[in-house]
Amino acid sequence: MHSTYQLGARHLHVGLRREGAGRFEATTDSGVQQVDAALVDGHTVQLCIGDAVHVAHVVRVGAVAHVWLAGRAYVLEPERATSSSHAVLAPPQIVAPMPGKVLEVLVSPGQQVAEGDGLVILEAMKMEHRITAAAAATVRAVHASGGQMVDGGAVLIELEYAGDD
């Protein structure tokens, strides 16, 4: 899968090929790397590239990923947001970005969703936050219900993308 992201004024071209559970071959303008990725929690990914271990904190707002890595913040915006181009980067677990109250769950297990479809409406900080799908997927599980109070990072929905093992 190939994606192009806007990173400030720079265009970042990323190719990812899944080689097994948590193992990818990543191709960028600077070359090809073998990457082992492990989801630590709903917002944290541990990346092993060669002998180096990196911890990235990722928060998605729609299709935009906000990434904190090695003391720097990056905002990655897909240039062409097609579900097939970045589904491999979309999180399988949809988590509460902050503590709040689930006002409404908009999906049910087995339901097909498209990129941008609403999944959950969360009330936090006296505002309603509509959490949407970052790519086309099938709802695998729903772990929240209307009226439920949740902590930040709580898993609300699990998605399965085409091509997931």
Side-chain angles (χ1 to χ4, degrees), residues 23-140:
R23 185 153 183 84
F24 299 89
E25 178 182 88
T27 306
T28 65
D29 295 337
S30 58
V32 177
Q33 296 283 332
Q34 298 298 317
V35 178
D36 290 309
L39 190 61
V40 176
D41 61 34
H43 293 290
T44 309
V45 179
Q46 179 176 307
L47 303 168
C48 296
I49 304 169
D51 292 334
V53 177
H54 306 279
V55 176
H57 302 280
V58 182
V59 175
R60 283 192 175 272
V61 179
V64 178
H66 300 265
V67 180
W68 288 267
L69 178 66
R72 294 193 61 193
Y74 303 91
V75 177
L76 300 174
E77 296 184 55
E79 285 189 342
R80 291 183 324 211
T82 62
S83 59
S84 63
S85 70
H86 70 280
V88 73
L89 298 177
Q93 295 181 330
I94 306 303
V95 298
M98 62 193 80
K101 179 179 181 180
V102 175
L103 293 181
E104 187 176 359
V105 176
L106 305 171
V107 295
S108 57
Q111 182 176 339
Q112 299 287 318
V113 295
E115 179 182 341
D117 283 355
L119 302 172
V120 175
I121 298 175
L122 181 71
E123 179 182 54
M125 299 172 48
K126 298 183 182 182
M127 294 175 55
E128 288 186 12
H129 304 272
R130 184 178 181 92
I131 300 172
T132 61
T138 301
V139 177
R140 186 177 3 185

